[in-house]
Amino acid sequence: MANFQLGIDFARQLDQQDQLAQYKERFYLGENELYFDGNSLGACSKDAEKSVLDMLEVWKKDKILMWNVEDGKYFKFPQYLGGLFSQMLKADANELTITNSVTINIHQLLATFYRPTKQRYKILVDELNFPTDIHAVVSQVLLHGLDPTEAVVSVRSRDGRNIEEDDIIAAMDETVAVALFPAVMYRSAQLLDMARITRAAHEKNILIGWDLCHSIGSVPHDFKQIEPDFAVWCTYKHISAGPGSNAGLYINKRHFGTRPGLAGWHGNRKETQFLLDHEHTPAPDVDAWLTGTPNMLSMAPIEGVVKLYNEAGIDNIREKSLRLTDYLIWLIEQRLSRYGFNNGTLLEHSRRGGHVALEHEDAFRISLALKARQVIPDFREPNVIRLAPAPMYTSFEDVYRLVEILDDIMQKKSYDQFSEERSLVV
Ligand SMILES: *Cc1c(COP(=O)(O)O)cnc(C)c1O
């Protein structure tokens, strides 16, 4: 671990050297609040707000004519926004689009690419993925009249935190049709070796897709090198585009021309969409996978905030993210290990994303005690406090103050006054 020092002066020194420090003022943050939950719902920026207000103005003024202003920018909005992710994913703009939710996009991709045969009928997943991905996979298997207990293969974790790449690759055989994995595990922050796993899948003629929900906006990806078949991501976590902002979809161009599983009029060729023909003529690129009218107001904030991230640069964001999390892990180890905390996140940079999984048997009540002190973490059953210092708006001093407050809570055992009872959203 780098040469860190205890004390707030050192934190301030790190802030002075921080080239992204200027971006903090572009976000709405509470005066005395420390927000460490940007991996669940990123904070609102002035840039996201402005692009929503701009769209409202266009609606007010132009009404139906809004689809044609600025050379059809809003009519082509899904792919226009998708293209803003080119820097983060190293993919071509016409392979990227914004539409629907992550769950629906997984359905769309499986409806398109999961074509089970007698020999090849399995979908490979892992037991640590977020539940909605698995729900989508199981229901697609059921739609084909197959038995999920046979057709869905889940790679087991050896330690409950991480999945070994070797175990994933060992499970790839000629009965597997499609594989779907998260780039970063939502609980432990493990970052999988996507290039290696994708290569292994292709050697076995398996189509492979990646769920980037916990990596996008935090970890850069090189899709020119990884060459996955498809990918999905959400825009409300590290990207900070707001509650329910629409999801991303990537289709590798070698699959252009494949018929989309779920078709709709917005997936038709733009040039003939308004001829309103009942014959569906799919668009020649990722647009073919669009369905209904885009959720414009849920997409609007993406424009402002992703331009802001691109200005900061994803490589700089990643560099700061690693430094923030290194510092956080180091401070926790120095100051909090005596209270029974355990770092559940891998230390190697190449193997972790942008948050830290702090494990403690009283994690739930400690997370409540933090909230009572205006520190917002999140909690994941059964014993994980997730802490995500967001490079765009978290300073090193914020990290320092978080550890200071945690230390105080543990010293005074102030979490004792909270109940173990869970609320609707934890
Ligand atoms: C957050 C998250 C989702 C969310 O899916 P929605 O359809 O946008 O609600 C899906 N998968 C993973 C891995 C996630 O982390």
Side-chain angles (χ1 to χ4, degrees):
M1 199 67 66
N3 299 328
F4 294 119
Q5 293 167 27
L6 293 167
I8 196 161
D9 289 345
F10 184 72
R12 288 178 177 154
Q13 203 178 308
L14 291 176
D15 282 328
Q16 265 165 17
Q17 296 158 2
D18 173 17
Q19 292 180 359
L20 301 186
Q22 52 172 315
Y23 291 105
K24 191 180 177 90
E25 63 174 42
R26 303 270 275 266
F27 287 81
Y28 289 98
L29 301 164
E31 185 84 28
N32 294 309
E33 178 191 83
L34 293 174
Y35 193 65
F36 281 90
D37 206 3
N39 58 333
S40 283
L41 182 67
C44 182
S45 60
K46 291 169 188 168
D47 300 67
E49 177 184 54
K50 181 170 184 303
S51 57
V52 176
L53 294 176
D54 286 351
M55 187 183 287
L56 283 173
E57 281 310 309
V58 175
W59 176 28
K60 282 187 212 167
K61 181 169 157 290
D62 296 304
K63 297 172 277 292
I64 190 70
L65 303 179
M66 76 175 276
W67 298 114
N68 284 319
V69 301
E70 288 186 52
D71 231 4
K73 170 180 166 181
Y74 290 116
F75 183 51
K76 300 178 212 158
F77 211 44
Q79 199 180 120
Y80 167 76
L81 290 183
L84 297 181
F85 287 87
S86 293
Q87 186 197 106
M88 296 182 192
L89 297 175
K90 292 216 180 12
D92 292 342
N94 71 348
E95 297 175 305
L96 303 164
T97 194
I98 295 292
T99 182
N100 290 319
S101 64
V102 173
T103 310
I104 295 297
N105 287 346
I106 294 172
H107 277 294
Q108 168 68 295
L109 293 166
L110 292 174
T112 305
F113 295 109
Y114 178 51
R115 302 264 160 231
T117 63
K118 275 242 151 359
Q119 290 77 34
R120 253 186 212 279
Y121 60 95
K122 292 180 185 168
I123 303 182
L124 189 62
V125 293
D126 67 277
E127 69 163 337
L128 299 182
N129 200 346
F130 193 73
T132 204
D133 297 44
I134 307 302
H135 299 330
V137 164
V138 167
S139 62
Q140 287 292 327
V141 163
L142 288 169
L143 279 173
H144 283 279
L146 297 172
D147 176 1
T149 60
E150 255 187 70
V152 181
V153 179
S154 184
V155 180
R156 301 282 145 202
S157 164
R158 297 185 197 182
D159 63 359
R161 298 186 185 96
N162 308 306
I163 300 280
E164 295 296 321
E165 281 91 357
D166 286 344
D167 293 345
I168 290 176
I169 292 167
M172 291 174 169
D173 63 25
E174 49 295 329
T175 64
V176 176
V178 177
L180 174 68
F181 294 104
V184 167
M185 298 290 166
Y186 77 93
R187 203 184 269 112
S188 72
Q190 179 196 10
L191 170 62
L192 286 171
D193 185 341
M194 296 165 71
R196 180 177 168 219
I197 293 169
T198 302
R199 210 178 316 118
H202 288 160
E203 277 164 16
K204 293 274 168 65
N205 289 322
I206 296 167
L207 293 173
I208 181 161
W210 290 96
D211 183 329
L212 315 176
C213 279
H214 278 278
S215 62
I216 192 87
S218 161
V219 180
H221 295 297
D222 186 347
F223 276 9
K224 294 272 180 239
Q225 189 221 342
I226 299 171
E227 285 276 346
D229 293 289
F230 55 85
V232 293
W233 64 94
C234 69
T235 58
Y236 47 80
K237 291 173 182 162
H238 292 283
I239 292 288
S240 308
S245 55
N246 287 111
L249 180 68
Y250 158 89
I251 306 273
N252 190 304
K253 60 161 86 63
R254 67 175 167 266
H255 294 301
F256 290 173
T258 300
R259 247 192 133 69
L262 309 176
W265 74 307
H266 275 266
N268 200 86
R269 284 187 82 87
K270 295 273 172 284
E271 295 78 7
T272 55
Q273 179 175 345
F274 276 89
L275 297 181
L276 303 179
D277 204 296
H278 281 193
E279 175 80 23
H280 188 266
T281 316
D285 53 22
V286 71
D287 274 356
W289 282 268
L290 299 178
T291 51
T293 304
N295 308 138
M296 298 301 282
L297 290 171
S298 299
M299 294 162 70
I302 298 172
E303 181 179 10
V305 77
V306 177
K307 284 181 176 170
L308 182 67
Y309 276 49
N310 285 340
E311 181 192 311
I314 190 64
D315 292 328
N316 298 326
I317 290 173
R318 172 65 167 164
E319 195 184 314
K320 179 174 173 189
S321 165
L322 287 169
R323 197 136 174 81
L324 283 164
T325 48
D326 274 349
Y327 180 52
L328 176 58
I329 292 168
W330 184 83
L331 276 179
I332 288 169
E333 194 183 280
Q334 296 290 313
R335 297 187 51 175
L336 304 179
S337 48
R338 64 199 153 116
Y339 300 119
F341 282 108
N342 178 50
N343 165 35
T345 298
L346 295 166
L347 292 180
E348 301 108 290
H349 287 178
S350 62
R351 299 191 72 199
R352 70 175 147 97
H355 69 269
V356 173
L358 189 56
E359 300 173 350
H360 193 283
E361 58 179 8
D362 270 313
F364 178 68
R365 294 190 303 156
I366 296 168
S367 73
L368 296 183
L370 280 168
K371 284 180 193 164
R373 301 279 296 268
Q374 289 188 274
V375 181
I376 316 294
D378 81 359
F379 166 75
R380 285 292 173 258
E381 298 283 1
N383 66 340
V384 175
I385 297 171
R386 286 192 311 188
L387 298 166
M392 294 295 282
Y393 54 81
T394 306
S395 66
F396 289 88
E397 185 172 336
D398 291 338
V399 170
Y400 179 85
R401 285 164 58 208
L402 157 73
V403 175
E404 188 95 327
I405 292 172
L406 251 182
D407 196 345
D408 190 61
I409 287 170
M410 299 313 291
Q411 237 177 67
K412 297 185 177 136
K413 277 195 156 222
S414 52
Y415 57 88
D416 259 350
Q417 59 189 283
F418 295 93
S419 148
E420 281 286 352
E421 205 171 310
R422 308 312 199 231
S423 53
L424 204 55
V425 180
V426 291

